[in-house]
Amino acid sequence: MATFHISLLLSYGCLAGLCSPLPRTNAIPKALTPRAYTVPQYLNHATSALAELQKQYNTTSGLWETTGWWNNANIVTMLAVYALVDIQARESTMPIFQNTLKQAAQSQPLEAKIRSQLTSTNTYEYPDIPGGVALPDPKFSNGFLNAYYEDEGWWALAWLKVYDLTGNNIYMNNAIGIFQDMTEGYPAKCGGIWWDKNHTASTAITNELFLTLAAQLANRAANRDYYVQWALTQWQWFEGSGLINPQNNVNDGIDLGTCKSNDGLFWSYNHGAIIGGLLELYQANANYTYITIAQNIAAAAINELSDSSGILQEKCEPNCGSDAPQFKGIFMRNLQYLQQASPNNTFKVFVQNNADTIWSHDQGPNQALGLTWSGPPGHMTAATQSSALDALVAAVAVG
């Protein structure tokens, strides 16, 4: 394994020791070809790509530039997952997590979000906010809390992943505090929790994050029964909401007029987040049905959201706004967790093929990685770079 320095701020990983081998699924997505690279090569690719990502890190703010607040939470998660796999990366990542915990809590940008059927959500940072778009009330912003329960969920999961790596309760306590704030968004008009504190939308992703967070806390924190009950209640609602369609694809949100699925575009992160939640719920409640559902959702996502070569692709590519460039990495990270918990060769090859294609077709100058993994790479941001890194890290982790 390579040795990483603090300037690289590296990391990646597993389900933090919670994974246990399970039977294989029979789900067979699109036919895929064997991998082109070896595990050491995937590790070298990740190392190079991480060095490029770190050019965007601002030590004063504790945030990665060229991307948004919630995206930064996903970068923290990716780094922690990496360090859980590569022991030699752990020591060099600790100061980065400490710095981000301290500095980012004081550096939260002023952002506004617009829900869109074409891009799911677009986030705009002040002063680059379109005319007519209202800014959220500043009273909602405090540390890692803000006006959007979705953003809060991403940061809570990021700090729990760092807790998995370090065992330091400061990260756990941050996640617990965020979870308690999220419970204030329950119940939304149609059940589950609201997307935002102004109660304008009910989205799949926010409800998936709330479920995942409750289940993760059940598996890690004291007061286990409290979190298990929240997780079970949330899953009961989600399963009955219609957000998972008969083909096992996950819809984007709830129509507040009908309290039914909005039948919008499918997005990879909606599939990935619920897979992670179901894996944690299995650990908390030991019902194998959760694994079966996760396997079916993974297979459905691969079939629905892959191009003709079996490479993951969002419906909006190559023009995906500010948020959607993060989505594919979230799916790949959670597919990694599923593969580690319940090995299936089809999923393994899918991870490897995407990592291969990223390295062969999605590179710009200096290992900058773009939005479209099958190429051409286009413009690199910290979101596109870290999303692609999730796939490279997953390839190392699944072997």
Side-chain angles (χ1 to χ4, degrees):
M1 292 288 185
T3 299
F4 303 108
H5 300 285
I6 184 171
S7 60
L8 296 181
L9 316 179
L10 308 181
S11 96
Y12 53 171
C14 167
L15 204 54
L18 295 174
C19 317
S20 54
L22 297 165
R24 296 170 60 181
T25 175
N26 292 321
I28 305 295
K30 295 177 181 178
L32 301 170
T33 55
R35 70 184 183 191
Y37 298 106
T38 64
V39 171
Q41 288 173 313
Y42 292 134
L43 182 58
N44 288 334
H45 297 168
T47 303
S48 299
L50 282 162
E52 182 65 18
L53 174 65
Q54 292 319 116
K55 296 176 183 178
Q56 304 294 330
Y57 188 69
N58 184 323
T59 55
T60 301
S61 68
L63 298 171
W64 287 262
E65 298 175 343
T66 72
T67 195
W69 176 247
W70 79 273
N71 309 79
N72 271 270
N74 276 279
I75 297 174
V76 170
T77 303
M78 181 272 294
L79 292 175
V81 173
Y82 181 86
L84 282 163
V85 167
D86 184 6
I87 295 175
Q88 294 189 56
R90 298 184 185 186
E91 183 176 353
S92 62
T93 58
M94 295 304 120
I96 292 79
F97 300 131
Q98 294 164 2
N99 185 65
T100 295
L101 180 67
K102 178 182 178 181
Q103 298 301 118
Q106 306 171 54
S107 307
Q108 185 178 154
L110 186 59
E111 293 183 337
K113 296 176 183 285
I114 300 175
R115 292 283 301 161
S116 167
Q117 287 282 70
L118 296 179
T119 57
S120 184
T121 303
N122 274 333
T123 301
Y124 299 92
E125 184 173 328
Y126 183 84
D128 299 320
I129 296 176
V133 177
L135 287 170
D137 193 323
K139 71 181 181 182
F140 294 130
S141 296
N142 180 19
F144 294 99
L145 306 180
N146 69 2
Y148 302 98
Y149 292 118
E150 178 188 343
D151 289 6
E152 293 184 4
W154 291 119
W155 278 105
L157 293 180
W159 295 130
L160 275 182
K161 190 56 64 180
V162 178
Y163 169 79
D164 289 343
L165 175 67
T166 65
N168 188 329
N169 281 326
I170 191 171
Y171 300 111
M172 168 81 80
N173 291 337
N174 269 272
I176 289 172
I178 294 170
F179 178 81
Q180 285 306 120
D181 190 73
M182 292 180 74
T183 63
E184 297 298 317
Y186 180 92
K189 175 184 176 182
C190 302
I193 72 166
W194 290 102
W195 171 62
D196 63 335
K197 293 178 181 177
N198 286 329
H199 298 178
T200 66
S202 182
T203 65
I205 191 63
T206 311
N207 281 282
E208 292 168 336
L209 296 174
F210 187 57
L211 165 64
T212 305
L213 181 54
Q216 285 202 15
L217 288 170
N219 292 327
R220 293 160 175 80
N223 203 5
R224 171 183 169 83
D225 290 346
Y226 171 76
Y227 295 112
V228 168
Q229 189 57 53
W230 267 115
L232 291 174
T233 298
Q234 181 67 1
W235 171 243
Q236 183 180 21
W237 173 81
F238 194 93
E239 186 179 29
S241 68
L243 285 168
I244 304 174
N245 75 10
Q247 291 73 45
N248 295 303
N249 287 115
V250 183
N251 291 303
D252 193 43
I254 295 291
D255 184 321
L256 295 179
T258 64
C259 285
K260 295 181 180 180
S261 167
N262 62 15
D263 293 326
L265 294 177
F266 300 125
W267 302 99
S268 61
Y269 80 149
N270 283 327
H271 295 75
I274 195 61
I275 289 169
L278 288 165
L279 290 171
E280 291 284 349
L281 191 55
Y282 172 78
Q283 293 293 331
N285 197 46
N287 182 341
Y288 187 75
T289 301
Y290 303 138
I291 299 297
T292 301
I293 296 170
Q295 293 167 338
N296 291 338
I297 289 171
I302 291 171
N303 278 320
E304 177 68 28
L305 295 171
S306 296
D307 65 16
S308 59
S309 298
I311 302 305
L312 195 60
Q313 184 177 62
E314 301 293 353
K315 303 291 187 182
C316 58
E317 292 184 28
N319 300 304
C320 284
S322 57
D323 284 25
Q326 197 76 53
F327 292 175
K328 291 185 294 186
I330 293 164
F331 177 77
M332 297 300 285
R333 184 194 313 146
N334 285 281
L335 187 63
Q336 169 199 322
Y337 298 161
L338 178 60
Q339 175 63 19
Q340 291 174 301
S342 181
N344 176 282
N345 192 60
T346 299
F347 296 154
K348 179 178 179 178
V349 173
F350 180 79
V351 169
Q352 293 168 337
N353 281 357
N354 275 268
D356 294 348
T357 299
I358 287 167
W359 204 249
S360 299
H361 300 291
D362 190 34
Q363 276 197 66
N366 302 317
Q367 290 78 52
L369 305 174
L371 168 65
T372 302
W373 291 354
S374 57
H379 178 62
M380 174 268 186
T381 66
T384 64
Q385 191 79 3
S386 60
S387 182
L389 269 161
D390 272 310
L392 297 176
V393 162
V396 178
V398 303

